Amino acid sequence: MSSVAQKKLPLNDRWTPNEDVASAWRFGLRARWVLAHPLQRVVFRSVTAGEVGYLGFLISMFGVSVYKGDTKYSGKLAQISLMLAFATAARNSPLTFLFGIPFERRIFYHMKSAVLSNFFAILHGYIALTSGTADKPENYTRKWSGIGGGVCSAFLFLFSLPPIRRKVFDLFYSAHWVFFTAYIVFLMFHSAKLVMVGIGLWVADVAIRSTYTSMFQPAKGAIRHIEGTDIVEVSMEGVKYLPGQYAFIAIPEIGSFQWHPISFSTAPCEGTVARFCIRCGGDWGERLLALAKDSKPGQQHKVLVDGAYGNTSIDIDSDKYKHFLFVAGGIGITPMRSIATAIAEQGRRGRSVQLLETHWSVRDGVATAVPMSAEHGLTMYRTRGEMEVDPVHKVKNGRMDVNEVVREFKEKVEETKGSMAKKVATKVAVLFCGPFEMFTALRLACKEHSSSSVSFDLHTETFEW
């Protein structure tokens, strides 16, 4: 895609036409990305520098507990790690506002903090029981509240294991609420004051989100089954979001308290109707599919929306990138389509977008659920069956060779550079959503083909937590 020679316009829907306001907003975004980049820089596989620092802090707490080895310090460390587990469970936090670290990445912090809090709690209980501290009359309430809290913590850990969390989400979700509520009661009797700080942050987040959702978010949406697939489309008017973001949605008809993170498949520049494409799996997905099949065309259902959330880990809002490579597997095309559509629109409005390609590995049926256009520069890799596609798209049979995709894209980038520009490194924004195996191959390909002339910066989307 070639750039349009005209006055530079705002690059996304967050910026107003007023140039002064737009400049100030660009400066703020750029400052945030300067702060965020060191934390989000991948240092090993998919682990970021921020996560390494956080894990280092948790390990240092572990070292302190081993060194001190008494009831007081083990109890304090259990409280601190549990406080962090509650704080990182909040969907809105300083990590998001200051550094742009999205909720789906902070789940990593939440899980590790919770696991470590269990270890410290066990160590704390062991020291208290073996030293005789727990048997003192003044510690009677703390003893039994600690044991009760430990039982709740054990069940929370058990029902949060991946096989249960991913396969039987209803059980995981219900158990989390039951044992979480009981855990708070036991902690209050145990005088765990530090934990209350984290709980307070989480409760405040829930209260603010609930108020905003009930007062400002639309509550009606159309639910449609895409024939020949296991995909359901939910469309709503009036939802505020940015390209590539996602929202938590709940449909009271199939579960009032079940909120699921779903990516927007549309971009704000396409109109006022926001769409979600949901591949139905698991118990909630099966109920949603049944509801969609029973719905009449245009029928409105109550749909609750919490969000939007999410930020890319690379700065696609500024002029830093002029070359974009989107890679997706299956239904992972939805956030990639949203961002690619917005970037293409920015190109029409004056942004310098020199090259934009989308590579999508897809099975039969799924291709009809997410409409793509010529501006996406799409190449589809058909891994199974037959499918009807727009003749403007390239279609290849078999699995995608991501290493070859990156190599060929690098050659195209080098062809667009002038002789003088070849001495300066060109940065390519690579955005991905799909299976972990594909991500691993793409990460290695980006590393292999990055050079002094072309470097690939990779952003990934994942909800496989």
Side-chain angles (χ1 to χ4, degrees), residues 104 241-247 261-268 270 275-278 309-312 316 325-343 358 360 370-372 376 430-434 459-463:
E104 65 271 17
Y241 67 103
L242 295 171
Q245 288 192 309
Y246 65 95
I262 309 295
S263 296
F264 291 94
S265 60
T266 51
E270 294 182 278
R275 289 185 171 84
F276 304 91
C277 286
I278 306 168
Y309 297 101
N311 292 291
T312 57
I316 61 172
L325 174 62
F326 297 89
V327 181
I331 200 65
I333 190 64
T334 52
M336 301 297 98
R337 181 198 180 280
S338 178
I339 299 173
T341 301
I343 296 295
T358 305
W360 182 17
V370 185
M372 303 291 286
H376 298 127
V430 184
L431 298 100
F432 168 81
C433 185
H459 164 76
T460 65
E461 296 278 346
T462 179
F463 291 104

Side-chain angles (χ1 to χ4, degrees), residues 440-453:
T440 301
L442 181 61
R443 177 181 57 81
L444 293 174
C446 289
K447 182 178 180 180
E448 177 183 345
H449 294 289
S450 289
S451 64
S452 58
S453 61

Side-chain angles (χ1 to χ4, degrees), residues 136-159:
K136 295 180 180 179
E138 63 270 23
N139 291 329
Y140 180 82
T141 301
R142 288 190 173 185
K143 174 183 177 180
W144 291 107
S145 61
I147 292 174
V151 171
C152 291
S153 179
F155 277 107
L156 281 169
F157 176 78
L158 175 65
F159 286 105

Side-chain angles (χ1 to χ4, degrees), residues 6 21 40 65 140 162 166 172 234 237 258 276 297 339-340 343 347 368 372 388 394 398 416 423 463:
Q6 55 178 293
V21 176
Q40 298 193 37
S65 68
Y140 180 82
R166 294 175 181 171
F172 154 75
V234 178
E237 285 200 36
Q258 293 190 33
F276 304 91
I339 299 173
I343 296 295
T368 61
M372 303 291 286
E388 295 182 5
K394 297 179 182 179
T416 64
K423 298 179 180 179
F463 291 104

Side-chain angles (χ1 to χ4, degrees), residues 38-52 55 105 108 436 439-440 443-444 447 458:
L39 291 176
Q40 298 193 37
R41 181 169 175 267
V42 176
V43 294
F44 177 72
R45 294 186 178 271
S46 62
V47 180
T48 65
E51 290 165 347
V52 169
L55 287 174
R105 294 297 291 178
F108 172 89
F436 184 78
F439 158 70
T440 301
R443 177 181 57 81
L444 293 174
K447 182 178 180 180
L458 176 61

Side-chain angles (χ1 to χ4, degrees), residues 205-436:
D205 174 62
V206 171
I208 293 171
R209 287 190 289 107
S210 300
T211 302
Y212 179 82
T213 299
S214 61
M215 294 180 64
F216 302 107
Q217 290 283 43
K220 291 286 185 179
I223 299 176
R224 180 174 69 96
H225 172 232
I226 308 297
E227 293 294 333
T229 73
D230 58 353
I231 294 175
V232 169
E233 180 190 85
V234 178
S235 56
M236 305 178 68
E237 285 200 36
V239 181
K240 302 298 183 182
Y241 67 103
L242 295 171
Q245 288 192 309
Y246 65 95
F248 287 83
I249 69 170
I251 302 173
E253 290 179 63
I254 60 175
S256 299
F257 300 102
Q258 293 190 33
W259 294 84
H260 292 260
I262 309 295
S263 296
F264 291 94
S265 60
T266 51
C269 61
E270 294 182 278
T272 59
V273 177
R275 289 185 171 84
F276 304 91
C277 286
I278 306 168
R279 186 155 205 172
C280 297
D283 41 15
W284 184 82
E286 290 175 359
R287 294 198 299 273
L288 175 61
L289 184 59
L291 177 64
K293 289 181 177 179
D294 293 338
S295 297
K296 298 178 181 178
Q299 180 180 349
Q300 295 289 300
H301 298 266
K302 188 172 184 179
V303 180
L304 306 178
V305 178
D306 175 18
Y309 297 101
N311 292 291
T312 57
S313 58
I314 55 178
D315 182 10
I316 61 172
D317 292 320
S318 71
D319 288 334
K320 180 178 181 180
Y321 298 100
K322 297 179 175 62
H323 303 80
F324 297 87
L325 174 62
F326 297 89
V327 181
I331 200 65
I333 190 64
T334 52
M336 301 297 98
R337 181 198 180 280
S338 178
I339 299 173
T341 301
I343 296 295
E345 172 63 18
Q346 292 166 16
R348 287 192 293 269
R349 291 163 56 187
R351 180 178 182 176
S352 177
V353 181
Q354 297 182 2
L355 191 61
L356 188 155
E357 287 188 4
T358 305
H359 294 260
W360 182 17
S361 179
V362 60
R363 297 178 181 178
D364 54 322
V366 181
T368 61
V370 185
M372 303 291 286
S373 63
E375 66 183 6
H376 298 127
L378 178 65
T379 300
M380 301 178 69
Y381 299 80
R382 182 170 51 197
T383 59
R384 183 187 301 175
E386 299 294 328
M387 55 188 178
E388 295 182 5
V389 298
D390 192 310
V392 301
H393 304 318
K394 297 179 182 179
V395 179
K396 297 182 179 181
N397 292 315
R399 295 184 177 276
M400 182 193 312
D401 184 344
V402 292
N403 187 72
E404 187 68 11
V405 167
V406 175
R407 186 191 66 79
E408 291 181 355
F409 193 85
K410 180 180 180 180
E411 292 180 353
K412 294 176 184 177
V413 172
E414 291 178 332
E415 289 175 1
T416 64
K417 299 174 65 174
S419 57
M420 294 299 295
K422 289 184 178 180
K423 298 179 180 179
V424 181
T426 297
K427 291 186 175 295
V428 176
V430 184
L431 298 100
F432 168 81
C433 185
F436 184 78

